[in-house]
Amino acid sequence: MVNVAESDPRLSGVEYQLSKVEEVIIVVSTKGGVGKSTLTALLGLALAEKGVSTGLLDVDFASPTLHVILGVPARVELEEVMGVKPYKVIDNLYILSPVFFAGETSLPLRGEEDVDALLELFTIGNWEGVNTLVIDTPPGLGDTQLTLFKLLRSVAADKTRVIAVTTPSRLSIKSLERSLPLVEELLHKKPIIVVNMADSFSPRLRVKEYVVAGAIRLDDRLEEAVGSPDKLRMTEAYKDVAAIVDKISRP
Amino acid sequence: MHEAAIALAVLREAEKLAKSLAAKPKLVEVVVGELQNIDIDVLSEYLRMNLREVMPGVEYRITTEPPVLRCEQCSHEWRLDMSELSPDAREAIHFLPEALHAYVRCPKCGSRDLKVVRGREIRVRVYG
Ligand SMILES: Nc1ncnc2c1ncn2[C@@H]1O[C@H](COP(=O)(O)OP(=O)(O)OP(=O)(O)O)[C@@H](O)[C@H]1O
Ligand SMILES: [Mg+2]
Ligand SMILES: [Zn+2]
């Protein structure tokens, strides 16, 4: 007869914190540098402009950059209420990043610690008042993504969607096509494809039987807009992302 | 407060665990790794106020576990004294224990490639 039972309370904590949001969007790509962080930031800006209260979570512990794109410093004061409240970027847009705790230092994290750090961020992040949570992930399909998929499937299955980003490069598309069945298998959701750094041929791109939600133009003015939400909202890339938001928004 | 979020998670988890127990639950034990830098008095107060509502008649106990680190470079193992860290470091580690890699070095070789052997997590045990 079992008379003692033990477990890690974090899962219950994550379940509670995520019960506060209406939808979760995970942004992934197996290939690095295709624009996940840029897309996450622009999605946040576009959703916020539509009046949707949006939270952004950076789980790229090796190289967090979401705050850089949005011009948020690494050292910010966070309010401690049932965990921590994310930092307010602009109206309707909030962010939580590992740099708020570790600063701009690379952390030597092995796989298991990466997973612990991920669970901890989800346990402490208090997304009260946030409707849509968008998660920026590191490149690849490793510990972070596998843990994230499992976590969201167990505590937020109905409200989770995944966007897979690619460039028009054949290497990126090959890498994407290879990964999509696995993502689908793990998350039980069909990934939505976004083509970034697109050329004039990209809108007609086919990625197996998957829906391509839209394309974001290669925009050479993006670089100078980095760090300023106002300037980002004036870029062509932003307009393309705003169109994608309209297309994938739930009625 | 971080403690409030933890207390809530502990209570929810204890309820789930109690259901998996063959016997009637008698005691909830919370093992807190000191790396979490949790205010035990505050946590205890939350549990005292709320446990009787969720699980009437069940006692609780909080046990702390001191942090032990091992250097992955030179294999040195030592007990980390949290009070030697700066308030900033303690605060950051309180929220995200992995942030310790930004603040703590091996006292023997200076490496930040460390492993937490003990004292990181929070565990809930329910005894029947
Ligand atoms: N549509 C675009 N037009 C021009 N430049 C872009 C576009 N999208 C992203 N970039 C630039 O490409 C670089 C990589 O983008 P980003 O960091 O968002 O990619 P990532 O997928 O998040 O990378 P990583 O895999 O390292 O996380 C950045 O310098 C970014 O400014
Ligand atoms: Mg990135
Ligand atoms: Zn050492």
Side-chain angles (χ1 to χ4, degrees):
Chain A
M1 190 166 89
V2 190
N3 63 358
V4 53
E6 177 185 294
S7 75
D8 181 346
R10 282 181 298 180
L11 207 62
S12 285
V14 177
E15 192 174 2
Y16 166 72
Q17 299 289 24
L18 287 183
S19 68
K20 300 168 186 173
V21 305
E22 295 297 321
E23 81 169 325
V24 179
I25 300 173
I26 315 173
V27 180
V28 298
S29 75
T30 35
K31 198 131 177 44
V34 297
K36 291 176 293 301
S37 302
T38 304
L39 173 63
T40 305
L42 296 179
L43 276 174
L45 289 170
L47 284 162
E49 191 165 72
K50 278 174 68 103
V52 180
S53 176
T54 304
L56 303 179
L57 176 64
D58 196 337
V59 299
D60 188 349
F61 294 96
S63 171
T65 52
L66 204 48
H67 65 295
V68 179
I69 302 172
L70 292 166
V72 174
R75 288 294 179 198
V76 295
E77 283 290 322
L78 298 177
E79 205 189 332
E80 213 178 326
V81 194
M82 285 310 266
V84 281
K85 299 285 257 175
Y87 176 82
K88 181 174 177 180
V89 186
I90 51 170
D91 279 349
N92 286 330
L93 190 60
Y94 301 85
I95 181 174
L96 197 56
S97 164
V99 297
F100 297 163
F101 311 105
E104 295 286 13
T105 323
S106 274
L107 303 178
L109 296 184
R110 289 164 193 258
E112 202 185 316
E113 286 181 295
D114 229 27
V115 166
D116 271 330
L118 177 81
L119 284 175
E120 203 72 28
L121 265 194
F122 272 100
T123 311
I124 62 170
N126 174 358
W127 300 101
E128 179 108 59
V130 161
N131 184 83
T132 302
L133 178 64
V134 191
I135 303 170
D136 183 20
T137 64
L141 261 181
D143 282 328
T144 301
Q145 293 79 6
L146 297 180
T147 307
L148 193 58
F149 292 167
K150 183 177 165 203
L151 188 68
L152 289 169
R153 237 186 71 196
S154 72
V155 305
D158 296 341
K159 44 196 184 190
T160 301
R161 289 192 287 174
V162 58
I163 296 182
V165 189
T166 181
T167 68
S169 143
R170 269 151 57 194
L171 299 186
S172 176
I173 293 190
K174 187 73 212 166
S175 175
L176 172 77
E177 286 184 332
R178 197 190 292 126
S179 70
L180 290 173
L182 181 56
V183 173
E184 196 175 337
E185 195 179 310
L186 293 168
L187 201 59
H188 293 197
K189 288 285 159 68
K190 251 198 168 8
I192 299 164
I193 317 291
V194 168
V195 182
N196 185 28
M197 310 187 194
D199 52 34
S200 53
F201 302 105
S202 303
R204 290 188 301 277
L205 260 175
R206 289 278 165 277
V207 182
K208 289 191 171 161
E209 77 276 23
Y210 293 89
V211 178
V212 178
I216 309 165
R217 276 166 279 185
L218 181 69
D219 182 349
D220 55 20
R221 292 194 34 220
L222 205 56
E223 185 60 30
E224 59 188 281
V226 163
S228 160
D230 284 341
K231 285 187 189 160
L232 285 168
R233 275 185 171 151
M234 289 177 336
T235 61
E236 301 297 314
Y238 173 77
K239 287 179 196 139
D240 294 337
V241 173
I244 293 171
V245 165
D246 286 335
K247 191 159 168 195
I248 66 171
S249 283
R250 294 193 159 146
Chain B
M1 288 276 292
H2 193 34
E3 282 77 6
I6 289 169
L8 194 91
V10 164
L11 291 168
R12 288 167 70 111
E13 198 61 33
E15 270 186 288
K16 281 186 208 163
L17 287 175
K19 291 195 188 104
S20 72
L21 218 59
K24 194 172 169 303
K26 292 197 187 78
L27 174 74
V28 173
E29 181 183 26
V30 189
V31 183
V32 181
E34 279 174 23
L35 210 52
Q36 294 268 352
N37 207 29
I38 301 266
D39 188 327
I40 299 296
D41 293 340
V42 175
L43 178 64
S44 179
E45 187 57 19
Y46 276 109
L47 293 178
R48 192 185 64 75
M49 289 190 309
N50 297 299
L51 189 65
R52 60 168 165 239
E53 223 174 274
V54 195
M55 300 166 82
V58 175
E59 299 289 309
Y60 74 91
R61 175 168 79 205
I62 301 177
T63 322
T64 57
E65 196 175 62
V68 175
L69 306 185
R70 185 171 63 236
C71 174
E72 297 280 22
Q73 296 297 321
C74 76
S75 302
H76 177 58
E77 216 174 276
W78 78 103
R79 200 178 138 170
L80 178 71
D81 183 354
M82 293 294 287
S83 67
E84 280 176 9
L85 301 175
S86 72
D88 271 3
R90 276 207 302 270
E91 161 105 344
I93 294 170
H94 165 61
F95 287 120
L96 189 65
E98 280 62 41
L100 83 92
H101 291 282
Y103 305 98
V104 180
R105 287 179 185 276
C106 168
K108 279 266 158 68
C109 77
S111 170
R112 290 194 289 131
D113 184 8
L114 313 168
K115 182 182 160 71
V116 181
V117 182
R118 253 194 314 283
R120 186 211 176 280
E121 325 153 301
I122 297 176
R123 288 190 304 277
V124 185
R125 286 190 196 126
V126 178
Y127 298 84

